[in-house]
C-alpha cells in the first residue's frame, strides 16, 4: 500500500514539474520588427491575386471501341 502511495506521489510531482517546462530557449525574445514583417508577409500570402489564372477546361476523352 505504501509503495503505491509513493509511486502515485512521484507521478504527481513529475506531472506538475512537466507543466512548468516551456519548449523554448531562454534567449528567445519578442521582436516587434520581426512580428510586423511576419504579419505583412502572411497578409500578402492570403491577399487575392490581382490576375487570376483561369482553370483549364475539362474535356471528355473519347475512347475507341
Amino acid at each position: 500500500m505504501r509503495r503505491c502511495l509513493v509511486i502515485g506521489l512521484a507521478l504527481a510531482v513529475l506531472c506538475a514539474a512537466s507543466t512548468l517546462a516551456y519548449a523554448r530557449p531562454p534567449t528567445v525574445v519578442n521582436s516587434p520588427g520581426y512580428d510586423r514583417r511576419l504579419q505583412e508577409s502572411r497578409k500578402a500570402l492570403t491577399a487575392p491575386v490581382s490576375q487570376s489564372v483561369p482553370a483549364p477546361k475539362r474535356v471528355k476523352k473519347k475512347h475507341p471501341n
Side-chain angles (χ1 to χ4, degrees):
M1 180 71 180
R2 184 170 173 90
R3 186 177 190 184
C4 291
L5 182 63
V6 171
I7 291 173
L9 184 61
L11 285 175
V13 169
L14 182 65
C15 290
S18 67
T19 59
L20 298 176
Y22 294 102
R24 65 178 186 203
T27 57
V28 174
V29 294
N30 291 334
S31 172
Y34 176 76
D35 290 338
R36 180 180 46 80
R37 284 177 295 177
L38 186 63
Q39 288 178 356
E40 288 176 358
S41 68
R42 286 182 179 166
K43 283 182 184 177
L45 289 175
T46 58
V49 179
S50 60
Q51 295 178 348
S52 62
V53 178
K57 294 182 180 179
R58 293 187 167 204
V59 178
K60 189 173 184 179
K61 294 182 180 179
K62 294 182 179 178
H63 296 286
N65 290 334

